[in-house]
Amino acid sequence: MLVTKYVFQPHGDERGQLVALEEHKDIPFEIKRVYYMYQTGEGVRRGYHAHKSLEQILICIHGTCKVLLDDGREKKVVPLEKPYEGLYVSNAMWREMFDFSPDAVLMVLASEFYDESDYIRNYDEFLEYIKTHGDSSANEGA
Ligand code: T46
């Protein structure tokens, strides 16, 4: 499984750091939605789903967390520890987010508006979906 982590350009000066993200330039899709999670309780694990078509970039802009990626054949755990790093998560990829530090803010840039019908929330259904739809097309060559 290919894991794509983007390293964004921080524009630092004596005042501090600034990261700017533009769609189709720093981010490989049109950004239709931004959401973020914070005050995640100790020991909480979120996600437990895949998406049929949604592509996302996960950025832990404060604190740290980990993301489990599972393409149905292989699992990888990716730590997110830098506010200038973004993890690309393709469609047809099971994801779980965990090990949030108490100060973690996980921001997500998404290629589509919120649509509950795009979620696959059952792992067996996910494996079936992979079988019938083949590999994640969005992840190929990423
Ligand atoms: C994903 C991972 C990384 C909305 O109303 N609009 C939204 O855009 C989102 C993302 C969520 N919600 C509502 C739906 C639920 O009632 O917020 C509540 C929590 O969402 P959910 O349980 O889906 O959160 P996670 O952390 O399990 O998953 C989220 C995203 O939903 C998902 O697309 O890839 O973060």
Side-chain angles (χ1 to χ4, degrees):
M1 183 205 309
L2 192 59
V3 171
T4 304
K5 224 181 194 186
Y6 288 87
V7 179
F8 306 121
Q9 174 70 58
H11 301 279
D13 59 27
E14 66 284 355
R15 297 167 298 174
Q17 303 294 331
L18 184 154
V19 172
L21 303 175
E22 296 185 13
E23 61 190 19
H24 296 306
K25 194 171 154 199
D26 311 283
I27 303 300
F29 48 75
E30 185 185 351
I31 302 164
K32 289 209 179 142
R33 180 166 51 106
V34 177
Y35 61 92
Y36 48 91
M37 51 200 87
Y38 60 99
Q39 290 180 357
T40 307
E42 200 186 339
V44 164
R45 206 169 171 105
R46 311 186 57 125
Y48 295 103
H49 59 257
H51 282 279
K52 293 173 192 161
S53 54
L54 188 70
E55 295 174 75
Q56 302 190 107
I57 300 265
L58 275 56
I59 308 170
C60 200
I61 55 173
H62 196 260
T64 61
C65 69
K66 292 192 178 86
V67 183
L68 170 93
L69 296 179
D70 176 352
D71 66 2
R73 284 186 300 262
E74 208 184 331
K75 297 180 205 287
K76 281 203 176 154
V77 171
V78 185
L80 291 179
E81 297 171 337
K82 306 273 195 298
Y84 54 82
E85 281 182 354
L87 174 65
Y88 174 74
V89 182
S90 70
N91 66 314
M93 183 71 75
W94 190 264
R95 80 284 319 265
E96 294 169 21
M97 301 82 75
F98 63 103
D99 257 10
F100 287 85
S101 61
D103 58 348
V105 180
L106 179 61
M107 183 177 80
V108 182
L109 310 179
S111 65
E112 300 294 340
F113 299 122
Y114 181 67
D115 175 8
E116 184 55 39
S117 70
D118 191 63
Y119 284 72
I120 307 168
R121 293 192 181 275
N122 176 285
Y123 191 73
D124 290 335
E125 274 173 33
F126 164 65
L127 294 179
E128 201 51 44
Y129 185 86
I130 297 291
K131 260 195 240 160
T132 51
H133 292 77
D135 284 336
S136 154
S137 53
N139 200 34
E140 276 173 18

